Amino acid sequence: MLLIFGLSVFFRTVGEGTFHCPQCGGDRAYRRRNGRRWFTLFFLPVIPLTGVGEVVECRTCKTRFDVAVLGAPTAVQMAAALPAGMRAAASLVLRAGDPSDGAARGRVIEAVRGYGEMTFGENDVEADLRLRPEFLQEEVARAGAQLAVEAKEWFLSQAVRVGLADGPLTEGERQTMHHIAHLLGMSRAHALGVIVTTEGAAR
């Protein structure tokens, strides 16, 4: 009798979700799969051998990737991170100046709506001012991770305009701008250039 045996890798699904597929170039459904090498007899798995680790498999193109690919944000996550980051940055600026100033609050609403959150209003400004500074800083950093250099400059300039809405920047507001720039991943010199340019344009 002819025996047909060999080694094969079989995968089982251990999780599912949505990710940004590098091959497809967009958000796709995925399966997280755990692989194990088996001794096979007549092409059937008989004896389990060593594990080969986990992979992420795109349900659309079937390409398999290292699980690190799940660290990349989806388009939906990116779209949500930008208005959330601007809300956080604007709230930090308001705290450094006069949180009750109507002109500054109006500029906050305008800036956040400019990032797509069209229902953002006065009540939201008030709610954001009650959030922990550590949380706000995390939101700014999360947004900064999604932005190219030019987009970071625009983001910071919007925060500067919030500070300028109630008059020239105070020392506290200026320090806050530099801290926001740091969270965005900008150097101090780069941030200074953006701040000075925005101040000049506002005069």
Side-chain angles (χ1 to χ4, degrees), residues 90 93-111 125 156-170 173-174 177 195 198-203:
V93 175
L94 276 183
R95 289 181 182 201
D98 181 3
S100 65
D101 184 82
R105 286 177 174 240
R107 187 67 190 89
V108 169
I109 292 172
E110 182 183 341
V125 175
L156 180 59
S157 72
Q158 297 307 300
V160 174
R161 288 186 177 96
V162 170
L164 292 170
D166 61 354
L169 296 179
T170 65
E173 288 173 329
R174 198 173 297 279
M177 301 304 170
I195 295 169
T198 307
E199 285 179 303
R203 291 194 182 100

Side-chain angles (χ1 to χ4, degrees), residues 2-7 39-43:
L2 180 64
L3 293 177
I4 302 177
F5 60 89
L7 297 175
F39 175 81
T40 60
L41 185 62
F42 294 109
F43 306 107

Side-chain angles (χ1 to χ4, degrees), residues 12-56:
R12 65 183 179 89
T13 299
V14 295
E16 297 181 335
T18 302
F19 81 133
H20 180 81
C21 177
Q23 181 67 27
C24 296
D27 291 355
R28 298 289 187 269
Y30 73 84
R31 293 188 297 178
R32 186 166 181 163
R33 313 196 75 195
N34 191 19
R36 179 173 290 278
R37 188 173 287 106
W38 288 73
F39 175 81
T40 60
L41 185 62
F42 294 109
F43 306 107
L44 298 174
V46 177
I47 302 173
L49 302 174
T50 57
V52 296
E54 290 188 355
V55 296
V56 173

Side-chain angles (χ1 to χ4, degrees), residues 87 94 104-113 117-129:
R87 288 179 65 162
L94 276 183
R105 286 177 174 240
R107 187 67 190 89
V108 169
I109 292 172
E110 182 183 341
V112 174
R113 288 182 178 179
E117 194 169 332
M118 303 309 297
T119 60
F120 185 81
E122 180 67 31
N123 290 338
D124 300 303
V125 175
E126 195 63 42
D128 288 350
L129 286 170

Side-chain angles (χ1 to χ4, degrees), residues 188-200:
R188 189 169 182 84
H190 190 182
L192 181 60
V194 173
I195 295 169
V196 171
T197 299
T198 307
E199 285 179 303

